[in-house]
């Protein structure tokens, strides 16, 4: 009798354990299914968000396109009114003049004599500076008036050659023959007025502060 009861108890225990396992499996399957559904919802929401972003971007692109189109039309109309043929001609002339000036040099203080070989004089000056740039035939500026020495104007083959020559021109002060020669860019009337103001300011600062060194750099008088 004890063996029979024991067997029945074991059978009931096994059935109970199986029922618990089945219940646990069901819970796990339900939990997994819930997670899958949650993932589906997240993917759906992300898809909706992406679609909304794409719509916003498309709307923004259309708005920008319209704004640019409107601005271009307005600018075209304004330019047509602002730049009459005469004004446009003046603008082109100023641009060309600026490009031509960028290759020019003005030489002050170069001795002047009747029948002089100006090309040779300029060549000797460049030789002293250890430079051999290609340049056009130099000419004196203005009318001869007795004892005054007229400046010399010339054009270099390239505007990139101007800065190195201007930088080396300081060496002319060390020459007994060329120490009174000064090389300058070809400035407009307005630029010459600005330069004159800066030079006067430079002289005043050097006079008031003899122990300091002042230079003109980037349109300003600076202490170095």
């Amino acid at each position: 009798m004890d063996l029979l009861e024991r067997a029945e108890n074991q059978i009931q225990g096994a059935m109970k354990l199986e029922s618990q396992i089945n219940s646990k499996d069901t819970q796990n399957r339900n939990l997994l299914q819930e997670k899958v559904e949650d993932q589906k919802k997240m993917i759906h929401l992300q898809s909706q968000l992406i679609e909304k972003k794409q719509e916003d971007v498309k709307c923004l692109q259309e708005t920008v396109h319209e704004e640019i189109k409107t601005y271009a039309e307005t600018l075209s109309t304004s330019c047509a009114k602002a730049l009459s043929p005469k004004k446009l001609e003046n603008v082109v002339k100023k641009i060309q003049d600026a490009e031509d000036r960028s290759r020019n040099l003005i030489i002050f203080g170069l001795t002047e004599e009747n029948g002089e070989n100006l090309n040779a004089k300029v060549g000797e000056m460049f030789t002293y500076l250890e430079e051999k740039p290609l340049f056009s035939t130099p000419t004196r500026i203005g009318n001869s008036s007795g004892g005054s020495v007229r400046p010399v104007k010339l054009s270099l083959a390239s505007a990139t050659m101007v800065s190195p020559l201007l930088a080396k021109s300081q060496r002319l002060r060390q020459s007994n023959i060329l120490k009174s020669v000064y090389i300058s860019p070809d400035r407009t009337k307005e630029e010459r007025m600005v330069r004159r103001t800066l030079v006067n300011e430079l002289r005043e600062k050097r006079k008031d502060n003899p122990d300091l060194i002042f230079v003109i750099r980037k349109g300003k008088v600076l202490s170095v």
Side-chain angles (χ1 to χ4, degrees), residues 100-112:
D100 291 340
R101 287 180 180 274
S102 67
R103 297 188 296 111
N104 294 348
L105 286 178
I106 307 297
I107 305 171
F108 298 91
L110 195 63
T111 57
E112 181 177 1

Side-chain angles (χ1 to χ4, degrees), residues 120-133 135 165 168 171-172 178:
K121 284 186 177 182
V122 172
E124 290 172 1
M125 181 193 70
F126 285 145
T127 299
Y128 181 82
L129 296 176
E130 298 179 342
E131 293 285 348
K132 293 183 179 180
F135 58 91
L165 286 170
K168 284 189 173 183
R171 300 181 184 179
L172 296 174
L178 301 171

Side-chain angles (χ1 to χ4, degrees), residues 97 113-114 119 125 127 129 200 204:
D97 183 60
E113 301 96 10
N114 292 330
N119 197 72
M125 181 193 70
T127 299
L129 296 176
N200 291 336
E204 289 296 324

Side-chain angles (χ1 to χ4, degrees), residues 126-203:
F126 285 145
T127 299
Y128 181 82
L129 296 176
E130 298 179 342
E131 293 285 348
K132 293 183 179 180
L134 296 176
F135 58 91
S136 63
T137 302
T139 56
R140 295 280 181 181
I141 302 175
N143 298 321
S144 178
S145 57
S148 62
V149 176
R150 292 176 294 169
V152 176
K153 180 178 179 179
L154 59 86
S155 294
L156 300 176
S158 171
T160 58
M161 304 170 68
V162 171
S163 293
L165 286 170
L166 291 174
K168 284 189 173 183
S169 65
Q170 304 295 328
R171 300 181 184 179
L172 296 174
R173 299 176 184 175
Q174 302 171 8
S175 170
N176 293 329
I177 300 174
L178 301 171
K179 62 183 178 182
S180 60
V181 176
Y182 170 72
I183 304 177
S184 165
D186 186 9
R187 300 186 177 97
T188 63
K189 182 179 179 181
E190 293 77 12
E191 290 171 339
R192 289 197 298 270
M193 292 175 63
V194 172
R195 181 69 181 184
R196 191 177 297 114
T197 300
L198 289 172
V199 170
N200 291 336
E201 181 182 349
L202 177 67
R203 289 172 178 169

